Amino acid sequence: EESSLPYGNLVVSNHLLSFREWERLIKSTGEEFKFYFPYPDLDFTNTIYTNDPKLGQIQSVETLFKDYRLMMFNDVQALNEINKSGYFKDFSNCFLIEIGSPSNVEMIKFSLERKPEFQMMTSILKNGTERSVEKKCICNAGIKHLDKIEEYYHRFNKYNQNLNIAYCPLKRKSQDTLEFKYITGENLEEKIELAVMKRDRSKIESYLKIIDELASVGERSPFKPNQRFYDVFGKRNYSLLENQECYDIANIDLIFGNVICNNKYYAIDYEWVFDCTIPKSYILFRTLLHSYALSKLEPSDLEALYELCGINEQLKDIFMEMEYSFQDYVSHLKISDIQKEYHLLKLFPYDLEQRIRKIELIQGEDKHTYYFDNGPSFNETFDIVPGIDVKLLIHGKSILGIHQLTVDGKAVSFTTNADLIDGNNYYFLNDPEICICAPAGNQLDIDGYFYLFNDGNIDRIVELMNLIGELAGQNHALQKHLDSLLSHRIVRLLDRKKK
């Protein structure tokens, strides 16, 4: 944050200590201490770890970064591999240190991206040698959601006859909090990871069978969508699902990371169970879709698993549309919306200079910064305050065609710092400035085209254009001189004839 450069903090400061350096320093004092690791970053925290995450918990790394962000590698894959190697804490980009008597918190996960009625704070707490998991609704509107979770837990136990599977036991701690038993053991995602590394197809299929068993509890029923189904998964043509296998209790979040292997297989997170018929194949689709370990398989091997679950390409298309609708049902707030609101871009390093355009709109003391990445076209709208001079400052020398500039739909005059103007085309050797004097309106629209942007050839082009202009001027002067000489000779010849 102290520098606009990538990794700028490391350049401008020599007072930053790593996790290991802090750890050694505090140990030398003899004090008790505890580290907390906000993830994915300090500004947009959705999980706080104290220990390395389990495999499958790192599924997204979207952050509320301040400016453009360079895409140098696959962040999710990199962090999962770092985590497996035991270096998660070393590579965390921020941490909180508690010195003294540490709290009993081992992990907290916030679901703030959801609608208020689904927002939860899930905590893993340790008291002595005992651990527990608490799920607390953040808003009062979430109490009904907790009621549903508790209801479905009892319904599952009522119907389940399979001694090999179970839902993680819970009890109501208070109106706004459920307490779950902490189940020790490996999650299925970790087991799947090992099977993928060994290319053990039979093991992968056996773990899929566990998911199948957990999804096959209750009374089997035909697929018959009701209004509840349409509310969650959208209204579309579902005729292809008419012969799909469905059960009374449809927990759609049976991903591998939510199943712990102990003396039996426990589903530890069952928030998303609905009062409608949902095809078991959709549940299995989500299991395959959201597995980090399975994403490493060859496409043909992964496709074979979809086929094993009876999911063809047509069903995939329907299930993906259902998934989009489900995500919309849970949350109105998308990471992409946040990025758009803050004008944030993710760019590959080689794209940075040529694609990103940083534009500042300045009115008096107010300055707003925008980032655009939409090709050479420059068709943008800006909100402005009437009666105050406007300056648009574009970062990056350019050759810019300004076809039209209007305020509230009416063309306005403007000035620039262009080094060369050729009709509607403006050649800038410095950051372009477009100035409008006290516009009488609220909306500024500019329609233009970047012929070149941040291109090292612009200086040479302007030099050549100026040279062409000079040559044209010299040519015109020469032609004028020749015309003058010619006229003079003609006059002399005519005079001779007269004599």
Side-chain angles (χ1 to χ4, degrees):
E1 297 174 6
E2 300 170 16
S3 167
S4 61
L5 299 170
Y7 307 108
N9 279 25
L10 302 178
V11 176
V12 301
S13 174
N14 60 357
H15 301 296
L16 299 174
L17 300 186
S18 69
F19 158 67
R20 299 292 174 187
E21 289 172 317
W22 273 114
E23 186 179 48
R24 285 196 297 270
L25 178 63
I26 303 170
K27 276 183 178 178
S28 70
T29 69
E31 293 282 352
E32 286 187 87
F33 63 92
K34 191 171 186 177
F35 277 81
Y36 301 84
F37 301 91
Y39 179 84
D41 67 9
L42 185 65
D43 296 308
F44 196 47
T45 303
N46 57 37
T47 308
I48 300 174
Y49 297 102
T50 60
N51 296 307
D52 296 349
K54 287 184 174 291
L55 188 66
Q57 287 182 331
I58 301 175
Q59 296 180 348
S60 173
V61 292
E62 300 292 358
T63 60
L64 194 58
F65 42 92
K66 296 290 191 297
D67 206 317
Y68 62 81
R69 181 179 177 199
L70 294 179
M71 297 286 288
M72 296 184 173
F73 43 77
N74 183 321
D75 289 4
V76 173
Q77 182 178 351
L79 277 172
N80 274 286
E81 296 303 319
I82 286 168
N83 184 35
K84 284 194 302 178
S85 301
Y87 292 105
F88 175 79
K89 296 173 182 177
D90 299 84
F91 280 85
S92 292
N93 60 18
C94 57
F95 41 80
L96 166 70
I97 311 170
E98 184 181 28
I99 302 175
S101 300
S103 74
N104 65 343
V105 172
E106 290 209 334
M107 191 187 88
I108 293 181
K109 182 176 181 180
F110 303 94
S111 303
L112 298 176
E113 77 285 356
R114 300 178 182 177
K115 297 175 184 176
E117 61 267 34
F118 301 129
Q119 290 182 0
M120 295 286 154
M121 181 177 74
T122 304
S123 309
I124 299 177
L125 307 174
K126 185 177 182 181
N127 296 294
T129 59
E130 297 295 320
R131 288 186 178 90
S132 63
V133 179
E134 287 186 0
K135 194 175 286 288
K136 179 184 177 71
C137 58
I138 293 172
C139 307
N140 286 334
I143 292 174
K144 289 183 179 179
H145 189 53
L146 292 184
D147 293 340
K148 285 292 184 184
I149 296 172
E150 186 177 17
E151 175 192 335
Y152 288 127
Y153 167 68
H154 295 299
R155 277 184 63 185
F156 178 89
N157 287 336
K158 178 182 176 181
Y159 285 110
N160 182 35
Q161 302 297 318
N162 188 337
L163 299 178
N164 193 40
I165 60 174
Y167 271 17
C168 176
L170 65 75
K171 65 180 181 181
R172 196 69 175 246
K173 188 173 181 179
S174 64
Q175 187 182 28
D176 64 354
T177 306
L178 292 175
E179 182 179 85
F180 297 79
K181 182 179 178 180
Y182 183 84
I183 306 296
T184 59
E186 284 185 290
N187 66 37
L188 273 186
E189 184 72 15
E190 293 169 310
K191 288 184 172 291
I192 287 282
E193 169 82 4
L194 188 58
V196 168
M197 289 173 63
K198 292 181 176 180
R199 299 184 179 180
D200 191 337
R201 169 76 179 272
S202 63
K203 274 289 185 186
I204 296 173
E205 291 181 9
S206 71
Y207 298 139
L208 264 176
K209 181 70 166 58
I210 300 301
I211 303 297
D212 189 283
E213 291 177 20
L214 281 162
S216 303
V217 173
E219 188 175 333
R220 183 168 176 173
S221 56
F223 175 70
K224 189 175 181 181
N226 57 12
Q227 188 57 47
R228 175 67 168 153
F229 181 93
Y230 293 134
D231 290 343
V232 177
F233 300 105
K235 202 160 189 175
R236 56 181 61 85
N237 183 359
Y238 289 111
S239 57
L240 280 174
L241 306 185
E242 290 175 358
N243 296 320
Q244 293 293 308
E245 188 177 340
C246 303
Y247 289 87
D248 279 355
I249 301 175
N251 177 6
I252 70 168
D253 208 21
L254 289 172
I255 61 175
F256 291 123
N258 284 342
V259 180
I260 298 289
C261 311
N262 195 293
N263 58 331
K264 57 180 70 178
Y265 293 95
Y266 288 91
I268 60 169
D269 195 346
Y270 39 95
E271 272 195 74
W272 306 112
V273 185
F274 296 102
D275 288 320
C276 52
T277 56
I278 300 172
K280 182 171 69 175
S281 51
Y282 172 64
I283 298 172
L284 295 173
F285 168 81
R286 295 190 85 250
T287 304
L288 297 172
L289 179 69
H290 294 293
S291 172
Y292 167 71
L294 291 184
S295 69
K296 296 181 180 181
L297 288 173
E298 293 293 328
S300 58
D301 293 332
L302 185 56
E303 188 59 38
L305 292 177
Y306 279 106
E307 291 176 8
L308 179 69
C309 297
I311 303 169
N312 57 27
E313 290 301 318
Q314 289 176 305
L315 284 177
K316 271 192 202 176
D317 291 341
I318 292 176
F319 290 159
M320 190 57 77
E321 291 298 322
M322 287 173 61
E323 182 69 7
Y324 292 147
S325 296
F326 168 64
Q327 298 297 339
D328 287 338
Y329 169 78
V330 172
S331 172
H332 285 312
L333 184 62
K334 303 293 186 297
I335 295 295
S336 57
D337 294 336
I338 294 173
Q339 291 175 336
K340 185 177 180 181
E341 179 184 349
Y342 285 87
H343 310 286
L344 307 175
L345 292 173
K346 292 190 294 185
L347 296 170
F348 292 100
Y350 54 79
D351 286 336
L352 182 61
E353 290 299 321
Q354 297 302 319
R355 288 183 55 182
I356 190 170
R357 295 201 295 273
K358 178 180 178 181
I359 299 176
E360 291 179 89
L361 188 146
I362 303 167
Q363 280 194 286
E365 298 298 319
D366 293 332
K367 180 171 69 173
H368 301 279
T369 304
Y370 303 87
Y371 294 90
F372 300 100
D373 180 31
N374 54 355
S377 295
F378 186 30
N379 311 107
E380 305 298 342
T381 299
F382 303 91
D383 293 326
I384 59 173
V385 178
I388 302 177
D389 292 353
V390 173
K391 179 195 288 185
L392 281 180
L393 176 62
I394 303 170
H395 290 264
K397 60 180 67 176
S398 311
I399 299 178
L400 173 62
I402 303 177
H403 305 145
Q404 192 173 40
L405 196 149
T406 63
V407 172
D408 287 355
K410 298 179 181 178
V412 294
S413 59
F414 58 92
T415 59
T416 73
N417 64 332
D419 294 88
L420 181 66
I421 300 175
D422 180 19
N424 291 329
N425 297 329
Y426 297 78
Y427 296 72
F428 299 93
L429 291 180
N430 297 295
D431 290 351
E433 295 180 9
I434 301 170
C435 303
I436 304 130
C437 182
N442 298 288
Q443 183 174 295
L444 169 65
D445 291 281
I446 184 167
D447 178 13
Y449 192 89
F450 284 94
Y451 295 100
L452 284 178
F453 177 75
N454 258 347
D455 192 303
N457 293 316
I458 293 177
D459 299 71
R460 183 63 176 154
I461 290 171
V462 170
E463 184 182 333
L464 289 172
M465 290 287 289
N466 284 327
L467 182 59
I468 290 170
E470 288 177 17
L471 291 173
Q474 291 174 10
N475 184 59
H476 179 71
L478 181 59
Q479 188 64 48
K480 196 173 180 181
H481 180 64
L482 290 173
D483 289 345
S484 176
L485 288 175
L486 184 59
S487 298
H488 184 67
R489 289 187 66 184
I490 290 172
V491 169
R492 287 182 64 186
L493 285 170
L494 288 173
D495 286 344
R496 284 178 184 175
K497 280 191 175 185
K498 287 180 182 178
K499 290 178 180 179

